[in-house]
Amino acid sequence: MDGDPATRWAVSTSDRTRTDSRLAVDLGAPATFDRVRLSWEAAAGRKYRIETSPDGLTWTPVATYPVPALRSTGGRLDVDGRAGIVVSGPNPITVAGDRVTLSDGPAAPLLAELYPGPVGARPSGRVTTTSPAVQASVTDGFLVLVNLSGTAVRGTAALPGETRLYRGEQILTRSGTELSYALAPAEGRIEPPRFTVRGPTGLKAVVRDASRVELTAPAGVLPVLVTVTPDGGRARSVLLLPGRTVPVVFAGLRPYPLADRALGRVTFPADLLPPGMSSPATAVDDDPATAWQPGPDGRMVVDLGAVTEVSAVELAWTRGHVPGTTVETSLDGVTYATARTGPARYVPVRTRWKPGDASLTRLSVRT
């Protein structure tokens, strides 16, 4: 504080292991100020806090460095200026130091939405629903549905200006579409757009998957022409008779979401594979070019992640002699039964494989 840039204050070598080294300045009398300027030598402080005190006994933090990466700005939790979380609910969002409290206050339902970019970079796209407990929005074309209640809910959501179709049933309106939903307690869904459609008001569309949609023309006396475009595909025109339902199938597209509970799941063994065995993960990777080679009398297990009601287990093999195979199910991974249906979390495949036999390209579990 001597005005000489050639001198400095430094923590003594013996005190550099401390986390609370401090320098205090006595201004001589109470003063009002709005900033403090620090001029550092090359060896600058990497982290510090500035405090003030009226008496030298009680201290109040007024600034910290580095600046906290999180701050609340009008209901939005800003994350270093690069993204933000917007919380909707009866209580505010608060940030105190490094502590973040979402919807601080009495227990109440809340909806948290994450948006990339700085404040104001992206609107929420909120849409209205017929159920107070269900919050819905359309962001970047994706439909988000969240049931904030502890009971199952059914209703509809009005999607103004939309011609995009999502999984389930939608009806074209004068202003957009009306989507029907059914949500389990506390369920949230994110649905990608599967199709876009051009047609008359009252047209009903039921999206089964990314390759199939069923169209029903509104009542009338004349046929109507409807144009359907799958996401990432080519448009197709369909002539519908009044009140008639026509399935439109795009055979060249994969029917997402794939009805295979084993797809991408954890498999065993995962390491230290027995001699002659390849990774069993190749049987659930959705790649027909890869296959699991069991090895002599090999066995693999797929973990479905939770107990699931299994309706069928399907096996696909490469060319060649298919070895004898036994499919089992288990609820706990300890007790197994020979079965291809029923409740299960673990599905093992046991083989009597010999060198030269076919390999398993796909293990599918249907519900």
Side-chain angles (χ1 to χ4, degrees):
M1 296 162 294
D2 60 1
D4 185 352
T7 62
R8 66 174 183 173
W9 168 70
V11 179
S12 64
T13 302
S14 60
D15 282 343
R16 288 179 184 174
T17 57
R18 294 168 56 112
T19 59
D20 59 350
S21 301
R22 63 194 301 267
L23 167 69
V25 178
D26 183 358
L27 301 180
T32 299
F33 55 92
D34 63 0
R35 72 197 64 188
V36 173
R37 181 173 182 177
L38 304 178
S39 299
W40 292 91
E41 194 194 31
R46 289 176 294 181
K47 184 177 181 180
Y48 59 83
R49 180 174 67 248
I50 296 176
E51 301 176 335
T52 60
S53 172
D55 54 13
L57 299 175
T58 304
W59 297 87
T60 302
V62 294
T64 60
Y65 180 85
V67 177
L70 303 175
R71 60 191 177 93
S72 179
T73 56
R76 172 189 166 104
L77 177 64
D78 187 74
V79 183
D80 197 23
R82 295 175 295 178
I85 299 173
V86 177
V87 175
S88 302
N91 305 311
I93 185 173
T94 60
V95 179
D98 60 357
R99 189 179 189 85
V100 179
T101 305
L102 296 180
S103 199
D104 188 19
L110 66 89
L111 175 68
E113 299 174 285
L114 175 64
Y115 298 104
V119 177
R122 197 164 302 232
S124 68
R126 193 71 54 80
V127 298
T128 59
T129 70
T130 55
S131 307
V134 175
Q135 299 286 338
S137 64
V138 177
T139 303
D140 283 349
F142 286 78
L143 172 67
V144 180
L145 293 167
V146 183
N147 179 9
L148 298 178
S149 72
T151 59
V153 177
R154 289 180 176 271
T156 60
L159 310 182
E162 287 293 336
T163 59
R164 288 175 285 215
L165 299 179
Y166 302 92
R167 185 163 57 109
E169 180 181 311
Q170 280 175 263
I171 296 178
L172 268 63
T173 65
R174 293 182 181 276
S175 59
T177 65
E178 183 179 86
L179 177 136
S180 299
Y181 57 78
L183 297 171
E187 179 186 2
R189 284 167 46 194
I190 301 177
E191 295 286 352
R194 297 303 186 186
F195 301 90
T196 57
V197 64
R198 265 202 335 261
T201 298
L203 175 73
K204 184 174 78 172
V206 180
V207 176
R208 300 299 182 185
D209 52 52
S211 67
R212 179 186 176 95
V213 58
E214 296 171 1
L215 302 175
T216 304
V221 295
L222 297 176
V224 295
L225 188 64
V226 177
T227 302
V228 185
T229 306
D231 186 53
R234 300 181 63 178
R236 180 183 300 177
S237 295
V238 182
L239 188 65
L240 302 179
L241 297 177
R244 295 286 297 274
T245 299
V246 174
V248 183
V249 180
F250 294 83
L253 300 178
R254 299 213 64 192
Y256 296 111
L258 301 176
D260 184 357
R261 292 302 183 94
L263 191 63
R265 292 294 184 178
V266 174
T267 57
F268 303 97
D271 201 0
L272 298 176
L273 299 174
M277 180 183 290
S278 63
S279 172
T282 55
V284 294
D285 64 358
D286 195 35
D287 185 352
T290 62
W292 173 58
Q293 178 177 293
D297 297 324
R299 178 178 182 269
M300 68 166 285
V301 181
V302 59
D303 180 0
L304 302 181
V307 175
T308 303
E309 190 66 31
V310 176
S311 64
V313 177
E314 300 172 358
L315 305 176
W317 299 84
T318 60
R319 292 182 179 180
H321 176 263
V322 176
T325 305
T326 301
V327 176
E328 301 172 327
T329 59
S330 173
L331 296 173
D332 54 11
V334 177
T335 304
Y336 291 88
T338 301
R340 294 198 179 205
T341 60
R345 171 170 176 172
Y346 301 92
V347 178
V349 176
R350 190 187 304 274
T351 72
R352 293 177 287 281
W353 188 90
K354 297 179 180 179
D357 285 350
S359 297
L360 185 66
T361 60
R362 178 175 55 85
L363 164 63
S364 296
V365 177
R366 309 293 182 183
T367 56

